[in-house]
């Protein structure tokens, strides 16, 4: 009998010690039955927000049509705030613009949007390993001959 208990204990410990993939449960209301909720298991995977060491300061000199370039520093902080500092080279060299505020992550956890920017700055950046990509107004990576100049490197 002790042998059977030992074998059963060994079997149960092996069965329950196997790792299971994490699942996120989402509650969804259906249109046909709005008061009835159904749950769906959604896999939770790694993304820029939860798998990278993204807090820090990133720098690049972005292309500029009316100046020599825009020196751009973006600091993303763990508490969800940012500092954006820009300097238009060749135009009033003493002037630096500094914006501060909060940023939000998109649903995929890979793009941050800087909240409260003034002017025509899109304020969206795709976060990667030790770099961020300055995105266009639609949130797309900039393509073409100058695409590599829109990548800010972590300092």
């Amino acid at each position: 009998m002790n042998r059977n208990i030992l074998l059963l204990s060994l079997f149960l410990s092996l069965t329950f010690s196997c790792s299971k993939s994490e699942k996120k449960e989402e509650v969804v209301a259906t249109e046909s039955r709005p008061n009835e909720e159904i749950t769906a298991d959604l896999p939770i995977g790694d993304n820029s927000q939860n798998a990278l060491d993204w807090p820090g300061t990133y720098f690049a000199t972005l292309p500029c049509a009316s100046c020599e370039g825009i020196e751009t520093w973006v600091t993303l902080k763990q508490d969800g705030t940012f500092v954006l500092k820009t300097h238009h080279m060749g135009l009033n060299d003493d002037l630096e613009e500094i914006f501060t505020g909060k940023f939000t992550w998109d649903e995929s956890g890979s793009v941050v949007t800087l909240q409260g920017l003034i002017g025509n700055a899109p304020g969206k950046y795709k976060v990667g390993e030790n770099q961020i990509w300055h995105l266009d107004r639609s949130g797309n990576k900039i393509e073409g001959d100058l695409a590599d100049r829109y990548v800010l490197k972590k300092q």
Side-chain angles (χ1 to χ4, degrees), residues 24-81:
K24 178 181 178 183
E25 197 172 88
E26 182 177 298
V27 177
V28 181
T30 62
E31 276 186 40
S32 61
R33 294 177 274 184
N35 294 332
E36 182 179 326
E37 294 180 341
I38 50 176
T39 60
D41 287 335
L42 301 174
I44 296 176
D46 289 340
N47 58 36
S48 299
Q49 183 180 6
N50 65 25
L52 297 179
D53 182 24
W54 54 263
T57 300
Y58 300 82
F59 172 78
T61 301
L62 303 179
C64 177
S66 60
C67 66
E68 298 169 21
I70 306 170
E71 291 180 321
T72 305
W73 294 265
V74 177
T75 300
L76 301 175
K77 298 180 183 179
Q78 186 71 42
D79 66 358
T81 61

Side-chain angles (χ1 to χ4, degrees), residues 3-126:
R3 182 174 169 209
N4 288 341
I5 292 173
L6 180 64
L7 287 174
L8 181 60
S9 297
L10 181 62
F11 174 76
L12 290 175
S13 65
L14 287 174
T15 301
F16 290 109
S17 67
C18 295
S19 64
K20 296 180 182 180
S21 63
E22 289 185 68
K23 300 231 179 200
K24 178 181 178 183
E25 197 172 88
E26 182 177 298
V27 177
V28 181
T30 62
E31 276 186 40
S32 61
R33 294 177 274 184
N35 294 332
E36 182 179 326
E37 294 180 341
I38 50 176
T39 60
D41 287 335
L42 301 174
I44 296 176
D46 289 340
N47 58 36
S48 299
Q49 183 180 6
N50 65 25
L52 297 179
D53 182 24
W54 54 263
T57 300
Y58 300 82
F59 172 78
T61 301
L62 303 179
C64 177
S66 60
C67 66
E68 298 169 21
I70 306 170
E71 291 180 321
T72 305
W73 294 265
V74 177
T75 300
L76 301 175
K77 298 180 183 179
Q78 186 71 42
D79 66 358
T81 61
F82 74 88
V83 177
L84 169 65
K85 184 168 66 168
T86 60
H87 171 243
H88 289 73
M89 297 167 38
L91 296 176
N92 195 356
D93 281 333
D94 296 335
L95 180 64
E96 284 186 347
E97 293 180 307
I98 299 174
F99 300 93
T100 60
K102 295 185 178 197
F103 67 86
T104 56
W105 289 92
D106 71 347
E107 290 179 7
S108 71
S110 63
V111 174
V112 294
T113 301
L114 309 182
Q115 303 295 316
L117 295 182
I118 300 170
N120 56 7
K124 290 188 178 193
Y125 295 88
K126 179 166 179 53

